[in-house]
Amino acid sequence: GLYHLFRLREQGLNVRAIDAGSSVGGTWYWNRYPGARFDSEGHTYQYLFSEELYKGWSWSERFPGQPEIERWLNYVADRLDLKKDIQFETTV
């Protein structure tokens, strides 16, 4: 969702994303069970379209856990200023 929002805005479109959660994260916002983590190395999930994003984040472990994944997604949303175009706590 964050990547699509970024790309649509990059094309000059006025877009609004809708999210039932109170913050970004999608699956990683909702799945907070003990032990939730990536099943692949963290760097494979990073957005490679932006060298600034890629180089600006270092994972603390090879297979990051949910809290760090959620922090990373907030880092991405903040760096790309995406939250202004997301309507949180809303269902369709």
Side-chain angles (χ1 to χ4, degrees), residues 9-65:
R9 280 187 4 188
E10 190 177 56
Q11 293 175 20
L13 299 170
N14 293 319
V15 294
R16 176 63 104 197
I18 307 294
D19 197 313
S22 62
S23 186
V24 298
T27 296
W28 298 107
Y29 173 85
W30 296 105
N31 291 331
R32 298 167 184 264
Y33 57 86
R37 63 181 53 250
F38 280 152
D39 59 356
S40 297
E41 294 184 45
H43 69 88
T44 63
Y45 286 93
Q46 283 188 274
Y47 295 125
L48 300 178
F49 66 89
S50 167
E51 186 175 347
E52 178 186 347
L53 284 177
Y54 184 77
K55 288 186 174 180
W57 185 269
S58 295
W59 296 104
S60 67
E61 56 186 316
R62 193 170 169 191
F63 298 91

Side-chain angles (χ1 to χ4, degrees), residues 1-2 5 15-19 82-83 85-88 90:
L2 295 178
L5 179 57
V15 294
R16 176 63 104 197
I18 307 294
D19 197 313
L82 298 176
K83 291 180 182 177
D85 292 325
I86 303 172
Q87 186 172 328
F88 294 106
T90 303

